């Protein structure tokens, strides 16, 4: 898109996280929110009025009626049906909020469509765009990581779809996917095997329509030999911990998306995050769309699919009790 005109953006799904992107883009001089779509027509009308856009209740109708440059898909995990496929058919730039799907098959279908369309894509793994992530990468660069210990353990989220496997893909897929992704991003290389175990029906029998594992511990093995454990759960009403510790020979780097804690033989350093990660990933996406250069984004769809494969492998491991090998 080699033009000085603002990037015309459409939104599919305007609840929750979409509001963060809408706010940033509405203040960006090189972007225009042209249209929004939601299955909740009243919500679509409300957001369209707020941002002087056109409202739709059908994604296909919006894409056929508007001359858009880019589309944000911000729907719950279970609601990814054909939206990304429709965007790819029209070869429009695509931004998708995580998690990208609830099944391996859906993620693979969209990955294939993206590869065919050769369009600019991005996925909202916002830990990557945090200022402290760049610093962490500098600290770890060239040094072998032996192990990492990740956590996303806290209280029960309120939305009903979140606590059902079919609609959220489970705790690891919905929340701790950020921890898996930042481990991949900072360690580098590929995960070659996954083994996971989960606890179910111990603490949360009282919750209606609850069938996901209450607590999960997954072990990821990288081709470098590094091992990463990811613990995730929602039985701590008092809250517990979100973050990941990277263990090196003379350095421990802890990343929790708000700050880095760097421990070395001479002491400890705390580095606070200083940027708006969501605004940063939106800015990178706009620059990629304008230049046609997909390398400007922090996480492409194909890259995000690798994180998704790991989360789905953990689910498969819990079902079978076996180690899952990844090609």
């Amino acid at each position: 898109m080699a033009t000085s005109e603002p990037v015309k953006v459409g939104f599919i799904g305007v609840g929750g996280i979409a509001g963060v992107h809408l706010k940033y883009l509405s203040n960006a001089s090189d972007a225009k929110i042209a249209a929004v779509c939601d299955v909740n027509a009243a919500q679509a009308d409300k957001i369209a009025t707020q941002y002087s856009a056109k409202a739709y209740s059908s994604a296909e109708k919006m894409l056929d009626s508007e001359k858009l440059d880019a589309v944000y898909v911000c729907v719950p995990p279970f609601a990814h049906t054909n939206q990304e496929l429709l965007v790819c058919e029209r070869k429009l730039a695509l931004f998708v909020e995580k998690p990208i799907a609830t099944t391996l098959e859906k993620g693979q279908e969209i990955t294939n469509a993206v590869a065919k369309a050769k369009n600019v894509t991005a996925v909202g793994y916002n830990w990557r765009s945090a200022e402290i992530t760049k610093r962490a990468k500098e600290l770890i660069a060239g040094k072998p990581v032996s192990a990492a210990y990740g956590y996303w353990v806290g209280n029960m989220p309120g939305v009903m779809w979140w606590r059902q496997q079919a609609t959220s893909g489970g705790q690891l897929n919905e929340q701790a996917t950020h921890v898996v992704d930042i481990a991949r991003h900072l360690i580098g290389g590929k995960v070659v095997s996954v083994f996971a175990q989960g606890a179910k029906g111990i603490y949360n029998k009282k919750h209606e329509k609850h069938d996901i594992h209450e607590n999960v511990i997954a072990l990821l093995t990288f081709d470098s030999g590094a091992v990463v454990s990811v613990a995730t759960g929602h039985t701590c009403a008092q809250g517990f911990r979100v973050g990941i510790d990277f263990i090196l020979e003379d350095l421990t780097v802890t990343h929790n998306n708000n700050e880095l804690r760097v421990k070395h033989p001479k002491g400890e350093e705390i580095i606070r995050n200083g940027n708006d990660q969501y605004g940063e990933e939106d800015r990178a996406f706009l620059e990629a769309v304008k230049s046609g250069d997909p390398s400007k984004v922090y996480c492409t769809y194909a890259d995000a699919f690798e994180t998704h494969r790991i989360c789905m492998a953990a689910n498969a491991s819990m079902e079978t009790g076996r180690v899952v090998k990844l090609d």
Side-chain angles (χ1 to χ4, degrees), residues 301-324:
Y301 195 95
D303 197 359
F305 178 63
E306 292 305 310
T307 296
H308 183 65
R309 288 181 69 210
I310 295 166
C311 295
M312 295 298 101
N315 285 348
S317 180
M318 284 187 284
E319 289 178 9
T320 63
R322 298 177 180 176
V323 173
V324 175

Side-chain angles (χ1 to χ4, degrees), residues 130-183:
E131 200 172 66
I132 53 173
T133 298
K134 181 180 179 182
R135 180 61 179 142
K137 205 166 185 65
E138 292 169 350
L139 289 166
I140 293 174
K143 300 175 182 176
V145 176
S146 177
Y149 303 93
Y151 304 85
W152 194 302
V153 182
N155 197 6
M156 169 79 71
V159 291
M160 185 65 74
W161 59 259
W162 184 94
R163 61 186 70 169
Q164 297 172 59
Q165 188 69 28
T167 49
S168 72
Q171 168 105 12
L172 189 69
N173 185 58
E174 220 300 308
Q175 289 184 313
T177 185
H178 279 297
V179 177
V180 173
D181 187 72
I182 206 66

Side-chain angles (χ1 to χ4, degrees), residues 75 96 122 128 150 174 217 319:
V75 299
V96 181
R128 293 195 185 203
E174 220 300 308
I217 297 177
E319 289 178 9

Side-chain angles (χ1 to χ4, degrees), residues 7 24 29 33 37 43 84 90 111 139 168 174 222 253 263 265 292 304 319 322-323:
V7 176
Y24 178 83
S29 61
I33 301 168
C37 171
Q43 178 70 2
E84 292 91 342
R90 292 156 178 80
T111 300
L139 289 166
S168 72
E174 220 300 308
F222 281 70
V253 179
K263 293 184 179 180
E319 289 178 9
R322 298 177 180 176
V323 173

Side-chain angles (χ1 to χ4, degrees), residues 11-143:
F11 271 76
I12 299 174
V14 291
I17 191 62
V20 177
H21 299 296
L22 285 161
K23 182 178 179 180
Y24 178 83
L25 294 173
S26 68
N27 291 314
S29 61
D30 53 353
K32 175 179 174 52
I33 301 168
V36 299
C37 171
D38 200 282
V39 292
N40 183 334
Q43 178 70 2
D45 287 338
K46 176 183 175 182
I47 297 299
T49 300
Q50 183 177 348
Y51 292 104
S52 301
K54 193 165 181 181
Y56 293 87
S57 57
S58 161
E60 190 164 12
K61 186 174 181 180
M62 181 185 80
L63 294 172
D64 286 341
S65 303
E66 302 289 333
K67 293 184 178 180
L68 301 173
D69 302 307
V71 177
Y72 277 67
V73 177
C74 301
V75 299
F78 65 90
H80 292 273
T81 54
N82 67 342
Q83 302 96 330
E84 292 91 342
L85 305 181
L86 293 171
V87 173
C88 287
E89 285 173 6
R90 292 156 178 80
K91 300 187 184 301
L92 303 176
L94 172 67
F95 186 108
V96 181
E97 261 302 338
K98 49 61 60 186
I100 60 173
T102 59
T103 66
L104 183 63
E105 292 75 17
K106 175 54 68 175
Q108 183 69 70
E109 181 185 21
I110 298 169
T111 300
N112 293 344
V114 164
K116 182 178 180 181
K118 295 182 172 61
N119 51 339
V120 170
T121 64
V123 173
Y125 278 111
N126 66 289
W127 286 40
R128 293 195 185 203
S129 55
E131 200 172 66
I132 53 173
T133 298
K134 181 180 179 182
R135 180 61 179 142
K137 205 166 185 65
E138 292 169 350
L139 289 166
I140 293 174
K143 300 175 182 176

